[in-house]
Amino acid sequence: MFAPEPSSSNQSLDAIVTFADGATDSWRSPDWRQVGPGERFLRAREPKLYENLESTLWSPVWPAFAKDVASEVRQRDPSRPPPKKVELYLEVSRIDPPEENWRSWRERAPVSERHLFHVEEFP
Amino acid sequence: MTPLPSLRAGWRWFTAAWAQYFFEPVDLRICAMIRMAFALLMLINLGVLGPNLIHWFGAAGLLRDLPLEEYLPPGSWSVLFWLPKTDAALTIAYGVALAQAVLLFLGLASRFQAFGCLVWLVSFQNSNPLLMDGEDAVFRLIAALLVFMPCGQTWSLDAWIGRRFLRRPLAPIGPAWSLKLLQIQMAIIFLDAFYMKIHGLAWQDGVALYYVSRLEDFFPRFPVPSAIFDSWGAIRAMTWGTLLIELGTPLFIWFRETRRLSLLAAVAFHLACDYSMNLFLFHWIMLVGWSAFLRPEDWRDLQSLIQRNQSEPRRSEARVVDVAPAPTAGEPTLAAFGKSR
């Protein structure tokens, strides 16, 4: 675990869902520091799932994941028209080496990169 | 002088030591305790999968478009691959897995239930590898060793039925080579972790825990003192301390004088990590594995220590714990290790 090198970045997923009427809404993977320990324990499998989804190795799962995100976002307001497009983004916050830029563990590193890694369009 | 006699003597010593280590009678309550603790963790593990069962494992779930066979090592299998691709079949399989974990805890046909738990672990893990982590490998290993462990001889329905109805009481003491394999396995896991880490620059430089404590997925779990994780000295001490424990525990746990100290270090390490980091059941399943090194006299001494503390608090301060109990037959000591070198 954490070997041979621990990860030096925090990563999260987010999505922009575009509906048939042109309106958009967004989705984000959980901010685990804002999730209480009980709920975090019950959702223990999710961080690994999101971590794996970020990898191109699992790209065949992206279309299904995008559809699931679209339906989750649409459930917030079922009166919306059907979704037309989902864009999946990966956000990376780099943890600088401590000798270069020491940061308290409480302090959040700024987002250093944001990549669009998949677009799913619905007919 | 030819080397032949010493080779023969060496071989005789090796075979005797092998037989002594793997086949000496042990208190099978240790195996029963491992069985029950494993079954509890298995239930929690399965319980966490429950709310998302259909989404994560169902035919119309997240992996519906994934050709799984291309992502798994050749020969990988899952009972779920052979069942009808319906939510009902998946739910029944999940229910059977839960039932087998409950029966393993209760100790009814214990080894068969352990085999069932192993089959379900492999099945669910192979049916959605995106969810799986290092701890799942430890779950599988312990389940596989439980299949061969006399884990239902005591504290079990098996033992109760044998005593009550069959008039064939099960022996509470006997050989348990699988328990010894679990000991070796635990030592290998820690040595491997040490070997992997020692090649990392962050571990060598003493800054690995700086990065780990800034990973928001894992850290923190419960409130932690900022002073520790914001201090160079503490970060270095924790990083190198981790390496020390991962190297020292599997080396020193084998000797009478250092077994308890090594076990205490491993327990403290796992509990501290579990308190500060979200790693689900990893540290608990590791503690189940390390309990293979417990001996009955540990309970006895712990009980007498607690009783002493309750009845004579002043006297107990003078002699806190008997760290090195009297050796049992064949148990290696550091002195013997020194002589053999």
Side-chain angles (χ1 to χ4, degrees):
Chain A
M1 197 166 284
F2 308 119
E5 302 287 355
S7 173
S8 58
S9 65
N10 284 301
Q11 306 194 343
S12 63
L13 297 177
D14 74 273
I16 294 176
V17 181
T18 307
F19 295 93
D21 62 359
T24 60
D25 201 346
S26 62
W27 172 93
R28 285 191 73 83
S29 57
D31 177 354
W32 295 112
R33 283 201 172 169
Q34 302 304 315
V35 177
E39 187 187 345
R40 173 69 179 77
F41 184 82
L42 294 174
R43 299 175 69 180
R45 295 287 181 180
E46 289 182 42
K48 191 71 192 175
L49 174 70
Y50 294 129
E51 183 191 323
N52 277 321
L53 279 172
E54 292 156 9
S55 159
T56 51
L57 178 72
W58 296 103
S59 57
V61 182
W62 293 347
F65 178 66
K67 283 177 198 157
D68 292 347
V69 165
S71 73
E72 189 184 321
V73 170
R74 198 185 177 200
Q75 275 172 13
R76 292 177 198 158
D77 182 1
S79 64
R80 281 170 164 164
K84 289 296 286 180
K85 187 171 79 171
V86 176
E87 295 165 304
L88 294 177
Y89 292 88
L90 170 65
E91 268 188 12
V92 181
S93 304
R94 209 168 296 287
I95 304 168
D96 295 327
E99 57 276 13
E100 285 175 22
N101 182 16
W102 178 282
R103 206 180 278 277
S104 165
W105 69 269
R106 290 179 187 277
E107 203 181 328
R108 178 156 291 182
V111 174
S112 40
E113 293 161 44
R114 188 166 185 262
H115 309 290
L116 173 68
F117 67 92
H118 182 71
V119 179
E120 187 70 18
E121 299 204 44
F122 306 110
Chain B
M1 191 176 135
T2 67
L4 206 56
S6 65
L7 269 179
R8 261 196 208 135
W11 176 250
R12 271 203 302 274
W13 173 87
F14 174 75
T15 52
W18 176 279
Q20 169 92 48
Y21 175 67
F22 282 106
F23 301 109
E24 70 175 345
V26 296
D27 188 322
L28 299 178
R29 284 177 299 178
I30 302 292
C31 300
M33 193 189 73
I34 291 173
R35 182 197 84 228
M36 293 165 84
F38 173 85
L40 271 181
L41 294 184
M42 173 93 183
L43 278 170
I44 297 170
N45 196 353
L46 286 170
V48 164
L49 296 178
N52 290 298
L53 186 72
I54 306 298
H55 181 53
W56 285 344
F57 299 97
L62 183 64
L63 305 191
R64 54 191 176 264
D65 301 326
L66 185 73
L68 250 183
E69 60 282 0
E70 292 173 20
Y71 283 80
L72 296 170
S76 298
W77 56 270
S78 165
V79 172
L80 303 183
F81 296 165
W82 308 324
L83 291 176
K85 305 278 180 236
T86 62
D87 292 348
L90 174 62
T91 308
I92 290 169
Y94 177 73
V96 173
L98 280 174
Q100 291 211 273
V102 170
L103 291 175
L104 180 65
F105 179 80
L106 297 174
L108 183 67
S110 307
R111 292 168 62 178
F112 171 73
Q113 309 304 349
F115 177 71
C117 286
L118 174 64
V119 167
W120 292 119
L121 280 170
V122 173
S123 295
F124 280 104
Q125 290 170 17
N126 281 347
S127 297
N128 191 340
L130 272 88
L131 298 172
M132 302 307 160
D133 220 330
E135 75 194 277
D136 297 298
V138 186
F139 264 96
R140 282 198 311 270
L141 283 167
I142 296 183
L145 291 170
L146 271 173
V147 175
F148 300 100
M149 204 179 279
C151 57
Q153 300 287 103
T154 184
W155 294 348
S156 66
L157 284 176
D158 290 341
W160 184 75
I161 290 168
R163 222 172 29 241
R164 182 78 192 262
F165 298 108
L166 308 177
R167 297 174 187 246
R168 190 161 41 87
L170 299 175
I173 290 176
W177 55 266
S178 184
L179 183 76
K180 302 303 176 99
L181 283 181
L182 179 55
Q183 292 180 344
I184 295 171
Q185 182 64 60
M186 294 308 297
I188 290 172
I189 291 174
F190 255 39
L191 283 174
D192 182 61
F194 170 79
Y195 178 78
M196 295 289 287
K197 287 186 174 87
I198 201 67
H199 288 91
L201 283 178
W203 290 96
Q204 290 171 18
D205 295 344
V207 295
L209 266 283
Y210 173 85
Y211 291 102
V212 172
S213 57
R214 272 88 182 146
L215 293 176
E216 295 171 7
D217 286 4
F218 298 105
F219 188 90
R221 182 177 184 198
F222 293 118
V224 292
S226 272
I228 294 182
F229 290 96
D230 280 339
S231 140
W232 261 117
I235 292 273
R236 286 218 159 98
M238 287 188 292
T239 302
W240 290 329
T242 300
L243 292 176
L244 198 66
I245 286 172
E246 288 184 342
L247 176 66
T249 302
L251 294 183
F252 289 104
I253 203 160
W254 304 101
F255 300 102
R256 181 175 63 85
E257 297 91 336
T258 48
R259 181 182 61 88
R260 283 184 178 174
L261 205 59
S262 305
L263 261 180
L264 279 175
V267 169
F269 171 73
H270 285 302
L271 291 181
C273 290
D274 190 68
Y275 175 87
S276 55
M277 278 192 286
N278 287 294
L279 288 168
F280 192 35
L281 297 174
F282 174 74
H283 292 290
W284 293 100
I285 194 69
M286 288 295 287
L287 285 173
V288 169
W290 285 119
S291 61
F293 285 93
L294 284 173
R295 286 171 174 271
E297 60 264 29
D298 296 333
W299 299 116
R300 195 191 56 215
D301 292 351
L302 187 66
Q303 274 177 338
S304 61
L305 175 75
I306 292 167
Q307 281 166 1
R308 263 206 317 268
N309 271 333
Q310 282 170 347
S311 58
E312 297 175 70
R314 277 175 183 277
R315 271 182 61 188
S316 68
E317 285 166 16
R319 187 168 173 269
V320 174
V321 64
D322 188 5
V323 170
T328 55
E331 188 183 19
T333 64
L334 281 174
F337 183 75
K339 276 176 198 162
S340 72
R341 296 290 180 278

